[in-house]
Amino acid sequence: MTQEPIPQSKPTGSNMPWEESLRPAPDAPPRLWRLIALFWAAAVLLGLVHAWFGRYFVVSDIISYLDIADAYRLGDWHGAMNAYWSPLFCWLLSFCMLALQPSPYSEFPVVSFLALLIYLATLGCFHFFLSQLLRFYRTRTGDTTTAGEVRLPDWAWVMLGYSLFLWSSAQLIAWEIPPDMCVAAVVYLACGLLLRIRSGPAGWGTFALLGVVLGFGYLAKQAMFPLGFVFLGVSLFCRRAPRNMVKPMLAALGCFALVSAPFIVALSRATGRLTFGEAGRLNYAWHVNRVSIPHWQGGPPGSGKPKHPPRKISDDPPIYEFAAPIRGTYPLWLDPFYWYDGVQLHFDLWQQIRAFYGAALVYYDIFFGAASGLLAGFFILWSLRSGWARPRDAAYLELLIPALAAFGMYSLVHTEERYVGAFVVLLCLGAFSSLQWHASQVSEKCLTRVVIAAVLPILAATLVSTMREERDAAKCCAGNLAWEVASGLEKMGVRPGDRVALIGQGADASWARPARVRIVADTGAWDGYRFWTADPSVRDRAIKTFAGAGAEAIVAEDSNMEALPANWQRIGATNDYVYLLSK
């Protein structure tokens, strides 16, 4: 059916992007609404299931975010300024904790509830993005129909888009670290705004909103600061008359600076150097230059020396103390910038090749794993194509350029699936949108069948994998294990604010947060097994060293002992043990 061409009226500042943006075209068939409602129901159900079964589970990064959120809530601005952890999720956590006032037992479920809200907001942002993509192609249908070309119908785009969203959210980003989901929301919203600019008249208000969205993207994660300029650069080519882009671009840049600059200024003053964040530098040092984590004492050659490293107070067993000046549940992971101040980055060709190789493995697993069916479907459609779609008739440049920029940026440093989850969606949709077919060679029904055959495996794999993961989580995390350890320690006399030493590394000691204790020393590479199998004289020496460091208790995690050494007590029904030093 022939649609109306693009309106030729001049853009006005009143044409804002939220007008008619969250729904299909007025003449959309009821089955399209039903398909969208079905995907929304599946997405919400998956989010609820994950939030419920994962309500007592948090990854190590969340502990640092909670500590920083406490600093914001209590007005400790010095402790709140952090060069590694981005502030947006900390602000959201601080607001939730202030509004709900959860007990230590309920704190992790509140984090899970907030993660669910962020996921649902991301779902809404994706719907906005997909609606703009559909609207863009509906405005071009008239031109392509007269030329004898066919494109994917709306409901094929809906199936493709929502299947990719569910897969990337559940299997790539995986909900555990909400800041990555915040980035996904920003990416979808920004791409939706770019498509709206391409679809028709868009005034400076749309560009201003794009700048605001990208500014919040930087506050969600530092990697979005350079990528923000990529999105702004792409917006330059969304208009047919780039010479008229001065005012809109000034509006976008001004709003981007208005949102991001205050935190950059505050962070630069706190660190004593001009910076928008140190996460990129630290990750390059860790993953490319192979600087040790988290007890860096210097080296390898060319990496500099730490200005204030964690203090190594024993060699056998290795014991590190880090009680001051950084406070928090686990100081080494609360402010990595402080402990790695003095690190020097250097270029090494083989190290860089190794980083590229690691990124290539991640990308291979993504596209040749669960997405292999989707990849096969793309190549089938590619073999049937009549040519590549012209940039003016397709939206693939707005999708491919940011996606490829993100893939390239992360491959230089360190790549994880959760970092690129949203950009995988852009890459796939951009690749499909770059194809066009001639009506004499292939029918719209044939294209739709290929898309369905391509998305069903990835959709089924997502549902099965998610349910299996939640089943396993229900078995291993049936209760609040962190609270069991925390309450057990309290019953044994360990109080909030006490200093605790740890056999092992403290990054994964989630029990320390509800116990409100501070981990001030640990054994680094020595886990519970090595400690318990060591000579008794070595264990005695470790206990005396921990006591000299000011620890009031020693906790050994996951140490399933049949016979307990003297003065060690099992913490409740867990496999953790405690040695009380000053009780």
Side-chain angles (χ1 to χ4, degrees):
M1 182 175 63
T2 303
Q3 305 295 324
E4 295 182 359
I6 306 173
Q8 300 299 318
S9 58
K10 295 182 179 180
T12 62
S14 62
N15 190 9
M16 301 304 286
W18 51 80
E19 298 172 0
E20 299 182 355
S21 59
L22 296 178
R23 55 186 175 88
D27 58 345
R31 65 178 181 177
L32 185 63
W33 283 99
R34 289 194 294 269
L35 184 62
I36 293 174
L38 179 62
F39 274 107
W40 266 77
V44 172
L45 179 61
L46 285 178
L48 289 172
V49 168
H50 179 82
W52 176 255
F53 287 107
R55 64 192 183 280
Y56 297 130
F57 173 78
V58 295
V59 296
S60 57
D61 292 2
I62 298 299
I63 305 300
S64 296
Y65 281 115
L66 283 167
D67 287 348
I68 299 171
D70 286 347
Y72 278 110
R73 183 165 52 88
L74 300 174
D76 178 14
W77 307 118
H78 176 75
M81 286 295 105
N82 195 289
Y84 186 76
W85 306 106
S86 296
L88 181 59
F89 183 59
C90 300
W91 296 344
L92 297 174
L93 272 177
S94 181
F95 176 79
C96 280
M97 297 303 168
L98 188 63
L100 300 178
Q101 297 289 323
S103 65
Y105 176 86
S106 304
E107 193 172 57
F108 290 171
V110 168
V111 174
S112 182
F113 171 72
L114 177 58
L116 174 63
L117 293 183
I118 292 173
Y119 165 71
L120 295 178
T122 305
L123 175 61
C125 292
F126 178 79
H127 180 73
F128 168 77
F129 158 64
L130 191 60
S131 297
Q132 295 302 314
L133 183 64
L134 295 178
R135 184 166 279 106
F136 172 84
Y137 279 116
R138 291 177 69 86
T139 59
R140 262 78 177 162
T141 302
D143 296 335
T144 57
T145 300
T146 56
E149 302 293 340
V150 294
R151 294 193 184 278
L152 294 177
D154 286 357
W155 70 284
W157 279 114
V158 168
M159 283 200 66
L160 179 62
Y162 275 105
S163 298
L164 285 168
F165 172 81
L166 290 175
W167 169 57
S168 66
S169 298
Q171 300 299 309
L172 302 184
I173 304 174
W175 289 305
E176 270 74 22
I177 304 183
D180 292 304
M181 195 65 75
C182 290
V183 170
V186 167
V187 168
Y188 296 141
L189 196 54
C191 283
L193 292 172
L194 291 178
L195 291 172
R196 182 172 180 85
I197 295 171
R198 278 291 305 275
S199 296
W204 64 266
T206 305
F207 286 86
L209 184 56
L210 177 63
V212 171
V213 168
L214 295 174
F216 277 99
Y218 157 67
L219 296 177
K221 208 160 190 181
Q222 296 169 19
M224 284 300 295
F225 186 77
L227 289 176
F229 291 98
V230 174
F231 280 95
L232 291 174
V234 171
S235 70
L236 280 171
F237 303 97
C238 291
R239 284 278 190 86
R240 294 185 178 180
R243 63 181 179 275
N244 297 328
M245 291 292 294
V246 176
K247 289 183 178 180
M249 283 303 300
L250 286 178
L253 287 170
C255 289
F256 180 60
L258 187 66
V259 175
S260 59
F263 186 76
I264 293 176
V265 171
L267 191 60
S268 299
R269 293 184 62 182
T271 58
R273 66 181 72 176
L274 180 61
T275 180
F276 65 86
E278 298 294 321
R281 291 184 70 253
L282 291 178
N283 275 281
Y284 193 91
W286 295 333
H287 300 290
V288 181
N289 293 156
R290 300 294 175 170
V291 171
S292 61
I293 307 175
H295 306 92
W296 184 48
Q297 304 294 299
S303 298
K305 296 181 178 180
K307 295 181 179 179
H308 19 69
R311 294 159 285 280
K312 191 173 187 179
I313 56 179
S314 173
D315 291 318
D316 186 28
I319 295 178
Y320 301 87
E321 182 269 326
F322 36 84
I326 305 300
R327 301 183 63 85
T329 303
Y330 186 57
L332 285 185
W333 201 230
L334 175 60
D335 191 0
F337 170 71
Y338 175 83
W339 305 106
Y340 286 85
D341 193 9
V343 69
Q344 296 178 3
L345 307 184
H346 60 278
F347 177 80
D348 182 280
L349 179 60
W350 290 112
Q351 289 181 340
Q352 195 63 68
I353 291 175
R354 184 166 50 191
F356 287 140
Y357 178 70
L361 290 179
V362 174
Y363 298 149
Y364 179 87
D365 288 341
I366 291 175
F367 292 106
F368 290 90
S372 57
L374 189 68
L375 192 64
F378 171 77
F379 280 114
I380 292 174
L381 294 179
W382 175 80
S383 66
L384 299 174
R385 80 192 193 285
S386 60
W388 298 105
R390 295 173 297 178
R392 69 178 184 179
D393 293 330
Y396 58 88
L397 293 182
E398 289 83 355
L399 308 183
L400 292 180
I401 292 177
L404 293 176
F407 274 65
M409 181 188 71
Y410 282 116
S411 66
L412 290 172
V413 184
H414 176 62
T415 306
E416 294 184 23
E417 291 180 345
R418 61 188 176 93
Y419 296 164
V420 296
F423 297 102
V424 169
V425 176
L426 298 189
L427 185 66
C428 293
L429 291 179
F432 277 90
S433 67
S434 68
L435 304 177
Q436 66 179 15
W437 303 271
H438 199 277
S440 62
Q441 296 175 325
V442 62
S443 66
E444 185 179 282
K445 183 179 294 186
C446 176
L447 298 179
T448 303
R449 288 174 177 173
V450 173
V451 170
I452 293 175
V455 301
L456 284 181
I458 193 173
L459 193 58
T462 299
L463 296 175
V464 171
S465 298
T466 301
M467 292 306 176
R468 184 184 297 118
E469 290 170 3
E470 304 310 335
R471 181 199 62 190
D472 295 340
K475 290 181 178 179
C476 69
C477 302
N480 193 338
L481 298 181
W483 175 250
E484 288 185 33
V485 177
S487 60
L489 288 173
E490 185 177 11
K491 292 175 182 177
M492 294 177 178
V494 178
R495 302 301 180 213
D498 282 356
R499 297 183 173 196
V500 173
L502 184 67
I503 307 299
Q505 293 187 12
D508 295 324
S510 58
W511 51 265
R513 171 68 192 185
R516 299 298 191 265
V517 298
R518 297 179 58 227
I519 299 174
V520 298
D522 62 24
T523 56
W526 272 50
D527 56 13
Y529 176 80
R530 291 191 63 184
F531 180 80
W532 294 119
T533 56
D535 188 88
S537 63
V538 174
R539 296 201 300 266
D540 292 340
R541 187 163 57 248
I543 292 172
K544 293 179 181 178
T545 303
F546 281 134
E552 295 162 299
I554 307 171
V555 175
E557 296 184 303
D558 295 327
S559 304
N560 194 8
M561 299 291 294
E562 295 182 358
L564 286 176
N567 297 323
W568 284 90
Q569 305 176 59
R570 188 168 186 168
I571 305 173
T574 71
N575 288 330
D576 297 343
Y577 299 84
V578 62
Y579 187 106
L580 302 177
L581 292 168
S582 59
K583 301 296 180 182

